[in-house]
Amino acid sequence: MSDQQVEKYYVPDQSPWPFVGAVALFLIAVGAGNFVIETTKGTEGYGGITLIVGLLTLFVMLFGWFRDQINESMSGMHGVQLGRSYRQGMSWFIFSEVMFFAAFFGALFYARNIAMPWLGGDSNNAMTHEVLWPGFEAVWPLVTTPGGTTTEAMGWGGLPLYNTIILLVSSVTCHFAHVGLEEGNRKKLIVFLGVTILLGCGFLVLQVEEYIHAYREMGLMLTSGTYGSTFFMLTGFHGLHVTLGTLLLIIMFLRILKGHFTPKNQFAFMAASWYWHFVDVVWVGLFMFVYIL
Amino acid sequence: MSSVAEEVHHDDDHHDHHHTPGIKRWLYTTNHKDIGTLYLWFAFIMFLVGGAMAMVIRAELFQPGMQIVEPNFFNQMTTVHGLVMVFGAVMPAFTGLANWMVPMMIGAPDMALPRMNNWSFWILPFAFLILLSSLFLEGGGPNFGWTFYAPLSTTFSNDSTALFVFSVHIMGASSIMGAINVIVTIMNMRAPGMTYMKMPMFVWTWFITAFLLIAVMPVLAGAVTMVLTDKFFGTSFFNAAGGGDPVMFQHIFWFFGHPEVYIMILPAFGIISHIVPAFARKPLFGYASMVYATASIALLSFIVWAHHMFTTGMPVVAELFFMIATMLISVPTGVKVFNWVATMWRGAMTFEVPMLFALAFIVLFTIGGLSGLMLAITPVDFQYHDTYFVVAHFHYVLVTGAIFSIMAAAYYWLPKWTGKMFDIKLAQWHFWCSLISVNLLFFPMHFVGLAGMPRRIPDYALQFADFNKWISLGGFAFGLSQLIFLALLIKACRKKGDSVPARVWEGAEGLEWEVPSPAPYHTFETPPVIK
């Protein structure tokens, strides 16, 4: 806390963007809610369009907010203390993301290690098994549900393995890019960050491919019992986070081309790279528990 | 402290630290006091809205038989009453108090991330607009209880569930951002010399609360997401035919839900730990043990969730574990209650309105805590589960606990916020009316609950009629009593009353009492030094 003593407190000016952001989230929530109802019930409505308007508003808000923020940061208005606030804020945000994934991992473990064996008559549930689904066999991956839906299990070789390698390598290249920034080596920074972004895009392309394969050839779908539910929800939310992480890295790339960031002033880049490492770690967990085990 | 009152001018008017007039002040604000005020007013309005729903419930239950509303509408009332009170009243009120008080208490100019602060507030009115407007849709709003158990919320719910899910999503986003802001403010913005173990208790309790919020609100987001996909997209998380389990919903929900309970009571503990010393004119007894007790309660809150689910057919080993873990919580909670009592021991006590609420809190919260201990005993819970005994328990800890602490806090700090003393006569009327009516409202619920009256049912057997009549009368009286509070608050906001000095209460300690009343728009421009 020593450097704080010489520093005067910085309080940012009023800004319209947070309120715009609240309106955007309102439109997104109303739009998404109605969109879900309309698409699944086949009714007509304004859900989709509201959702799109909301997303556009959110995009405008993020653009405006970050533009103001970058301008303030580049003109040196942000001090050491604020930088520390940003870093701590980002760390806690990532922790909240970890807990979000924990909910779905928890669902996977529960479905697999408790719900499924109980349906098969384990613990004190012999009669449940006997009366409800006597033919059900409790084996994971759950390719035949108690209700009789069948599917195929996704192996860990092939696409998932390639994707694991891609993400692990991208974590390393992202780190090298950061080292490049710390050293003031612009070329190293640009090359390694570019490679990281390409690897991220490659991951997403392969994942789309994997989904198409699962739906078309394996009959593995969101509706294929708990195996399909946990598979698609975990990999899907992870994919969403990879998309977001890639977008963040692309924005960092553009900022670096404009000459932003110095070894001392690089919070945004650091936050994006932390986020990237986080999605990699989640993937390692996914690969272990969804694919291999 | 000379720097406190001093105006610090910046080089250009771009940095004007005074607010713009009109509506833009409130929409675009980055000021922790403005945002705190917004939170508090929002919470109070939601308290009245949720209270109106409680009035509908009590009107229907005034007599046995179906009187006023349809069962489906009754279910919507119990559901939305719970959601509004938890997410719209209690949590925003505490966040509002944190916004107002934490920066002042730690000697900071503002919250660490003031713009995000504004974002997290303004999400809330919109989220509740969605939730409340869904009541007017065809088929009605959410009617599955605030706990939205599957399959009630999946197989048997109406279409507006999608809107419920997304409104909870954005409420969660608001809570997480608010909590990140509080935790970062406390970690990073403390004035030089304000070490962790010198922090005021309200700051400590909020620090731990913020951690709980960040840890469990995302789990709630996961739970509502699974409800959404189970209902609309054919996933099988909570569907046994697909290999899932409705009980899994309860596990995920209560993994969020139990820490949530402490999110709504830990800041209350902090408030009481300020008010009792101030009016007993003695320092808080056992400060360090208070901090450790708060942390222990928070940690234990992660391993007790299944005590809400004793009757779901868990293995006996699990029931035993969750029973014992739950009973452990009474140890740190007891530490707190005994510390408050020890603080008052041989103190020079006076009974101003904040102290009245704080004393009522200590007694009545303890009653709620003891009925909680009864509910924690697994075999006994088999009888109490889903009866009015549970309703009595959580209303004692939430209304006479959380809400009373919020009112105590409001009376304690209101003169600091407005610079004027509130109308003491009205405040005393508010206290005594609330105290008597709230006990008439909730105490008999213990009896009807023990006798087997189930919760969330619009009708009941004849033998419960007498008690329910009194409960309803108590409910209406408690509802009306809050209008006294409304009148008092309007008066206070119009700055009626006598001016107060910086140290409003003779025995009050802390940085917030060193600055003038009302506190300047930006309390500290440069950090004060803590000795």
Side-chain angles (χ1 to χ4, degrees), chain B residues 186-207:
Chain B
I186 296 173
M187 286 172 73
N188 197 25
M189 307 286 282
R190 280 170 291 125
M194 175 74 76
T195 57
Y196 276 107
M197 289 312 274
K198 278 186 189 167
M199 291 196 311
M201 271 316 291
F202 183 65
V203 179
W204 251 117
T205 50
W206 241 110
F207 186 47

Side-chain angles (χ1 to χ4, degrees), chain B residues 380-458:
Chain B
V380 182
D381 180 72
F382 274 60
Q383 185 197 341
Y384 304 158
H385 185 85
D386 245 349
T387 68
Y388 262 78
F389 191 79
V390 179
V391 179
H393 159 69
F394 68 72
H395 281 94
Y396 261 88
V397 290
L398 277 173
V399 180
T400 60
I403 301 266
F404 267 34
S405 84
I406 293 164
M407 285 167 178
Y411 285 120
Y412 187 53
W413 285 309
L414 198 54
K416 173 56 66 185
W417 300 338
T418 62
K420 306 283 181 188
M421 182 52 77
F422 52 80
D423 186 329
I424 295 174
K425 265 266 137 48
L426 271 186
Q428 282 169 336
W429 272 101
H430 175 222
F431 171 73
W432 289 107
C433 290
S434 296
L435 180 74
I436 293 164
S437 59
V438 85
N439 282 292
L440 183 61
L441 166 57
F442 294 123
F443 207 78
M445 286 186 184
H446 291 111
F447 308 139
V448 291
L450 288 178
M453 180 173 158
R455 60 190 282 216
R456 289 173 168 161
I457 308 281

Side-chain angles (χ1 to χ4, degrees), chain B residues 149-168:
Chain B
Y149 278 11
L152 295 177
S153 58
T154 54
T155 316
F156 301 106
S157 64
N158 49 39
D159 283 350
S160 71
T161 308
L163 291 166
F164 158 79
V165 165
F166 285 104
S167 76
V168 170

Side-chain angles (χ1 to χ4, degrees), chain B residues 2-294:
Chain B
S2 63
S3 63
V4 167
E6 195 177 71
E7 274 295 310
V8 182
H9 287 289
H10 285 264
D11 324 336
D12 53 15
D13 55 358
H14 197 67
H15 270 272
D16 189 6
H17 277 186
H18 294 279
H19 51 79
T20 48
I23 186 80
K24 276 188 181 172
R25 167 180 175 188
W26 301 102
L27 296 184
Y28 297 169
T29 183
T30 47
N31 180 279
H32 72 105
K33 298 190 179 78
D34 284 353
I35 296 171
T37 306
L38 287 169
Y39 263 114
L40 288 168
W41 270 110
F42 175 77
F44 189 61
I45 291 165
M46 284 296 124
F47 177 59
L48 296 180
V49 170
M53 292 172 188
M55 296 301 104
V56 174
I57 295 168
R58 283 325 313 175
E60 174 58 45
L61 293 174
F62 186 71
Q63 286 184 319
M66 301 304 299
Q67 320 287 337
I68 300 169
V69 293
E70 294 289 311
N72 185 36
F73 188 72
F74 184 88
N75 288 344
Q76 292 174 42
M77 285 295 104
T78 54
T79 304
V80 183
H81 164 75
L83 290 167
V84 164
M85 287 304 197
V86 168
F87 296 106
V90 175
M91 287 168 65
F94 280 133
T95 314
L97 291 170
N99 259 295
W100 253 101
M101 300 320 297
V102 167
M104 276 164 84
M105 286 177 164
I106 62 174
D110 208 298
M111 300 292 276
L113 305 161
R115 286 180 186 153
M116 193 173 80
N117 201 15
N118 196 31
W119 195 17
S120 55
F121 169 74
W122 278 107
I123 291 170
L124 280 181
F126 290 118
F128 280 89
L129 184 67
I130 298 173
L131 184 69
L132 293 174
S133 61
S134 75
L135 285 172
F136 301 100
L137 292 178
E138 206 184 310
N143 56 5
F144 26 69
W146 86 276
T147 51
F148 59 103
Y149 278 11
L152 295 177
S153 58
T154 54
T155 316
F156 301 106
S157 64
N158 49 39
D159 283 350
S160 71
T161 308
L163 291 166
F164 158 79
V165 165
F166 285 104
S167 76
V168 170
H169 268 305
I170 61 175
M171 273 173 220
S174 156
S175 292
I176 291 169
M177 286 194 280
I180 289 176
N181 218 336
V182 171
I183 208 164
V184 172
T185 304
I186 296 173
M187 286 172 73
N188 197 25
M189 307 286 282
R190 280 170 291 125
M194 175 74 76
T195 57
Y196 276 107
M197 289 312 274
K198 278 186 189 167
M199 291 196 311
M201 271 316 291
F202 183 65
V203 179
W204 251 117
T205 50
W206 241 110
F207 186 47
I208 291 167
T209 302
F211 168 75
L212 291 179
L213 275 167
I214 302 171
V216 300
M217 290 310 285
V219 177
L220 175 69
V224 290
T225 307
M226 290 180 221
V227 164
L228 183 82
T229 57
D230 261 23
K231 179 167 175 58
F232 292 99
F233 299 106
T235 58
S236 307
F237 289 106
F238 312 130
N239 174 8
D245 188 348
V247 175
M248 178 164 88
F249 172 84
Q250 299 184 27
H251 280 291
I252 299 172
F253 177 81
W254 286 113
F255 184 82
F256 147 78
H258 204 77
E260 167 71 16
V261 171
Y262 295 129
I263 287 164
M264 292 190 286
I265 204 65
L266 292 184
F269 291 164
I271 291 162
I272 302 305
S273 303
H274 281 253
I275 294 175
V276 169
F279 297 101
R281 291 168 183 76
K282 273 177 64 191
L284 181 67
F285 183 90
Y287 169 85
S289 68
M290 284 299 217
V291 172
Y292 298 136
T294 312

Side-chain angles (χ1 to χ4, degrees), chain A residues 7 20 23 40 43 63 72 85 92 116 158 168 213:
Chain A
E7 199 179 334
V20 176
V23 173
T40 53
T43 51
F63 186 80
E72 285 166 13
S85 290
W92 286 108
M116 187 187 69
L168 286 178
H213 175 65

